[in-house]
Amino acid sequence: MQEKKKKGNLLVRFLGHEKYQFLTIPLFAILISLLVGAVVLLLLGKNPLDAYVNLLQGSGILPKAKYAGGKSMLTDFFSFMDCWTPMIFASLSVAVALKTGLFNIGVSGQMLAAGFITTITVGYSTLSAPIAKPLVILVAAAVGALVGGLIGFLKYRFNINEVVSSIMLNYIIEYVVGFFINTRYVNPISRQSQTVSSEARLTLSGTKIGDLKFDIPLGIILAVIVVVIVKYIFDRTVLGYELKAVGSNQKASRYAGIPVGKNMILAMMISGLLAGLAGASYYLGYYASIQPKVLSSTGFDAIAVAILGHSNPVGILGSSFLINIISKGSTYMSSSLGVDAEIASVITGLILLFAACDMYIRYRVDKAKENLDKKNERRESHE
């Protein structure tokens, strides 16, 4: 009898387990997107397996055929983590806003504002490393929180849609920062801002260990700690409960006595703070300068990461790792396989597309599971 109960579609049983659907459904969506991506690569006359292996090699997950002097798989992986750090912060920023029913599409602008203010106040100072590095984190967090808080205030006080205000602020910050860089802080050779001091930088660039040179990201430790903190806030605190309640139903929250306006502003301040940390680890970590009139794509890619990770901090850790592999490994895949690096963006887009179909996949799986259970019940009743 027990054997007969186990009969049925294994895939439906696997995806239909409610306790683990938060994990199994996204993994299924990723698998489907990679299969569709493989079809695209086959149409281009390329081996999909080689392409995916190249992505892993370019990210330091698998070894390359050969390396330049001072480089190895380990140095590539440290570089990957350096690039991964701002993505974690940016994705958490999007997730916090989404949990409260808000859409922070201005993460890139908040990153740039935080990165620029921190650069000119701390990055160009003569402060020693023990003072400069913590100050970089504090200043960037404060600037990001102020910009995010402004968006939340405009939403609460004047009912200005946060998508509109954050997009407009993106443009304002982009061109204002570009103006000041080009007129006061530009490097005449690179046409970017002057490089920040090594004492203020959150990446220990060119650190020699044995025969290898590493770019050691200090921010990755803070990023993992912040993941745990955000997870704890949403799961175990009154603040987290109120933010989620406001995101689920503002009218019901207001009726229950939850201050909706206050929580909206607070959510955007926390979201902006995390975006500020992303800006610090990007402009004073992974990079050491700012390109004028250009917004980082990290803030926009973070939207895909947050959706794929179901706005769950732990899920975001995994989804950001995957998206960063595709982004970081695309250059090596392009040079090794002879395909455009933009194919990586196509794969990322496919992952986002199937991740967006999450509710539909869940509905179909639950329906199939229900039908399967009914068939098994009828079979047992006949026997």
Side-chain angles (χ1 to χ4, degrees):
M1 183 68 71
Q2 197 67 24
E3 268 312 301
K4 290 175 182 176
K5 284 185 179 180
K6 290 181 181 178
K7 285 180 181 179
N9 192 311
L10 289 176
L11 181 62
V12 172
R13 292 295 183 190
F14 175 70
L15 297 176
H17 200 298
E18 291 184 9
K19 186 177 179 181
Y20 301 107
Q21 275 188 332
F22 77 97
L23 180 63
T24 56
I25 298 292
L27 287 175
F28 180 70
I30 291 168
L31 177 62
I32 296 297
S33 63
L34 292 177
L35 289 173
V36 175
V39 172
V40 173
L41 288 164
L42 284 171
L43 291 173
L44 294 173
K46 304 298 179 182
N47 187 328
L49 185 59
D50 288 342
Y52 293 149
V53 167
N54 287 159
L55 290 176
L56 294 172
Q57 289 173 323
S59 303
I61 310 296
L62 291 177
K64 297 175 183 175
K66 57 182 179 180
Y67 293 92
K71 297 294 180 181
S72 71
M73 186 177 80
L74 194 57
T75 61
D76 283 353
F77 185 68
F78 268 80
S79 179
F80 167 83
M81 288 196 295
D82 200 13
C83 179
W84 182 31
T85 303
M87 179 64 81
I88 297 173
F89 285 125
S91 305
L92 288 173
S93 173
V94 174
V96 168
L98 288 175
K99 285 278 191 181
T100 320
L102 301 169
F103 189 20
N104 186 3
I105 202 172
V107 172
S108 288
Q110 292 151 35
M111 286 174 61
L112 181 58
F116 176 69
I117 297 298
T118 308
T119 292
I120 62 175
T121 56
V122 185
Y124 295 154
S125 70
T126 56
L127 295 171
S128 61
I131 299 174
K133 293 186 192 300
L135 203 55
V136 162
I137 295 169
L138 293 175
V139 173
V143 173
L146 286 173
V147 178
L150 174 61
I151 296 170
F153 175 76
L154 292 173
K155 171 75 174 178
Y156 165 64
R157 184 69 179 82
F158 303 105
N159 198 29
I160 298 175
N161 189 286
E162 73 278 2
V163 174
V164 175
S165 59
S166 57
I167 289 175
M168 292 302 101
L169 278 172
N170 274 352
Y171 282 113
I172 292 169
I173 292 168
E174 177 184 355
Y175 288 106
V176 168
V177 169
F179 168 79
F180 279 107
I181 290 175
N182 284 326
T183 56
R184 297 192 179 188
Y185 304 105
V186 70
N187 184 311
I189 298 174
S190 67
R191 303 308 301 172
Q192 299 190 24
S193 66
Q194 296 287 353
T195 305
V196 300
S197 67
S198 58
E199 285 76 13
R201 194 173 175 187
L202 297 180
T203 297
L204 302 180
S205 181
T207 303
K208 197 165 184 181
I209 302 176
D211 296 329
L212 302 176
K213 288 185 178 179
F214 290 84
D215 291 336
I216 302 174
L218 301 178
I220 189 66
I221 301 169
L222 178 62
V224 174
I225 293 172
V226 169
V227 165
V228 175
I229 292 172
V230 173
K231 175 73 173 169
Y232 178 82
I233 288 173
F234 276 114
D235 290 352
R236 301 296 180 89
T237 67
V238 174
L239 171 62
Y241 171 79
E242 290 187 348
L243 292 178
K244 288 189 290 186
V246 170
S248 299
N249 193 318
Q250 289 188 15
K251 288 184 179 179
S253 298
R254 194 174 284 111
Y255 182 78
I258 296 174
V260 173
K262 171 191 165 187
N263 278 285
M264 287 170 61
I265 296 173
L266 191 56
M268 285 306 299
M269 285 187 71
I270 296 171
S271 180
L273 182 151
L274 293 167
L277 293 177
S281 57
Y282 187 85
Y283 292 112
L284 292 96
Y286 185 55
Y287 292 105
S289 62
I290 302 172
Q291 186 177 356
K293 297 182 182 179
V294 174
L295 288 174
S296 165
S297 63
T298 300
F300 301 108
D301 293 341
I303 298 170
V305 171
I307 292 173
L308 182 60
H310 281 237
S311 297
N312 183 306
V314 177
I316 281 171
L317 204 59
S319 59
S320 63
F321 189 81
L322 171 66
I323 297 298
N324 209 58
I325 286 175
I326 298 171
S327 174
K328 184 71 174 171
S330 61
T331 303
Y332 185 74
M333 179 190 71
S334 177
S335 61
S336 297
L337 207 59
V339 296
D340 292 337
E342 284 74 18
I343 290 297
S345 298
V346 172
I347 296 170
T348 302
L350 287 169
I351 290 173
L352 177 57
L353 176 64
F354 285 102
C357 297
D358 170 87
M359 293 307 295
Y360 177 73
I361 295 173
R362 191 184 297 256
Y363 166 76
R364 297 300 301 177
V365 166
D366 289 344
K367 198 74 176 173
K369 183 185 175 188
E370 185 181 330
N371 292 335
L372 194 62
D373 289 339
K374 286 180 181 178
K375 285 181 182 177
N376 286 337
E377 285 175 9
R378 283 198 298 268
R379 188 184 297 113
E380 288 174 7
S381 63
H382 287 314
E383 293 172 357

